[in-house]
């Protein structure tokens, strides 16, 4: 079956530090990959996505590249801000695998200090 | 992007009463919607898949008689927590996807914070 593995948090950084949140996946087909962000007390928002191998998703300074050879989709940002503090979820959707149900990782909490 | 609206955002109810949560896709038709439960500082737990015009598919361990799901139209799914108890207090989130040959992202509602007192 499909699965998503994320690094455990919390990740604590100072403002302007470099961020990496690791995400690896297993899937039966050729999934699309997503990063979602959840701010405190809110629902999830799509941050970025990639639908095929070697695609790079980017948004608000965040980037992630779909690496089929390593089955990874690591999230990066060159310089984090306090406002980036949130929980980040890696997810996949694999309709060719027979299900449109998104599969989520456990989430990684990011805390950015001034 | 597509918008999913969830209502109410917060609700407090007495133990033993029922609470209904609505999930609407505002600008697209969602044949399938998903209901999740999220415990503090934890990931999303899929409760059920809601299919328009048919019975919901519940995940293992989720009581279908306690968490009633109705998908009355292509834009509305409801989750009713029946005879609520304090342990049902949680953050409930719905989502919908536009299905097709290429997977698209899931669009999420704002979530509902349920507190049972």
């Amino acid at each position: 079956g499909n699965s998503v593995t994320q690094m455990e948090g919390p990740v604590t950084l100072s403002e302007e530090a470099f961020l990496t949140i690791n995400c690896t996946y297993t899937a039966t087909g050729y999934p699309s990959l997503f990063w979602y962000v959840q701010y405190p007390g809110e629902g999830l928002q799509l941050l970025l996505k990639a639908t095929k191998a070697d695609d790079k998703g980017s948004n608000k300074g965040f980037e992630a590249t779909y690496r089929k050879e390593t089955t990874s989709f690591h999230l990066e940002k060159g310089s984090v801000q306090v406002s980036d503090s949130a929980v980040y979820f890696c997810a996949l959707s694999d309709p060719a695998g027979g299900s449109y149900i998104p599969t989520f990782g456990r989430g990684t909490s990011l805390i950015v200090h001034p | 992007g597509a918008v999913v609206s969830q209502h109410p955002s917060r609700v407090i109810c007495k133990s033993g009463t029922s609470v209904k949560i609505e999930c609407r896709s505002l600008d697209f038709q969602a044949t399938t919607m998903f209901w999740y439960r999220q415990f503090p500082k934890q990931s999303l737990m899929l409760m059920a898949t809601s299919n328009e015009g048919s019975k919901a598919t519940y995940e293992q361990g989720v009581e279908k008689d306690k968490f009633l799901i109705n998908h009355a139209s292509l834009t509305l799914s409801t989750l009713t927590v029946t005879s609520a108890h304090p342990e049902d207090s949680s953050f409930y989130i719905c989502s919908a996807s536009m299905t097709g040959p290429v997977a698209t992202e899931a669009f999420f509602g704002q979530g509902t914070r349920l507190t049972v007192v």
Side-chain angles (χ1 to χ4, degrees), chain A residues 31-32 34 36 38 41-46 49 51 87 89 93-95 100-107, chain B residues 34 36 38 42-44 46 49 59 91 93 97 99-111 113:
Chain A
S32 293
F34 311 93
Y36 289 86
Q38 184 180 32
E42 298 184 14
L44 275 68
Q45 303 173 28
L46 178 68
K49 68 177 181 180
T51 58
V87 180
F89 292 91
S93 182
D94 181 17
Y100 286 98
I101 300 175
T103 301
F104 288 90
R106 294 174 55 86
Chain B
F34 308 100
Y36 296 86
Q38 186 178 34
Q42 294 191 29
S43 186
L44 303 170
L46 180 65
T49 303
E59 296 299 299
F91 194 58
I93 307 176
S97 296
T99 57
V102 178
T104 65
E105 66 267 30
F107 301 97
F108 286 85
Q110 305 93 320
R113 171 73 60 194

Side-chain angles (χ1 to χ4, degrees), chain B residues 49-116:
Chain B
T49 303
S50 169
N51 300 295
E52 187 268 336
S54 64
K55 291 183 179 180
T57 302
Y58 290 83
E59 296 299 299
Q60 191 172 10
V62 178
E63 299 176 62
K64 62 181 181 180
D65 294 330
K66 180 166 189 62
F67 299 100
L68 299 179
I69 292 172
N70 182 276
H71 197 145
S73 73
L74 287 171
T75 59
L76 174 64
S77 176
T78 60
L79 168 67
T80 301
V81 182
T82 63
S83 188
H85 291 286
E87 57 264 31
D88 298 325
S89 298
S90 193
F91 194 58
Y92 293 87
I93 307 176
C94 72
S95 77
S97 296
M98 288 186 259
T99 57
V102 178
T104 65
E105 66 267 30
F107 301 97
F108 286 85
Q110 305 93 320
T112 298
R113 171 73 60 194
L114 170 63
T115 304
V116 184

Side-chain angles (χ1 to χ4, degrees), chain B residues 11-19 81 84-85 114-117:
Chain B
V11 58
I12 300 172
C13 70
K14 292 184 177 181
S15 188
T17 62
S18 295
V19 174
V81 182
H85 291 286
L114 170 63
T115 304
V116 184
V117 297

Side-chain angles (χ1 to χ4, degrees), chain A residues 10 23 28 30 48 51-52 56 62 66 73 79 82 93 97 110 114:
Chain A
C23 171
T28 54
Y30 298 92
L48 54 85
T51 58
K52 61 183 186 297
K56 177 186 283 188
F62 291 90
Y66 189 143
F73 193 54
S79 177
V82 173
S93 182
L110 170 65

Side-chain angles (χ1 to χ4, degrees), chain A residues 4 14 20 23-24 28 31-35 41 43 50 54-55 59 62-63 72-73 90 100 103 114:
Chain A
V4 176
S14 297
T20 299
C23 171
T24 57
T28 54
S32 293
L33 303 174
F34 311 93
W35 277 100
D54 299 326
D55 269 3
N59 185 27
F62 291 90
E63 292 183 340
S72 65
F73 193 54
C90 185
Y100 286 98
T103 301

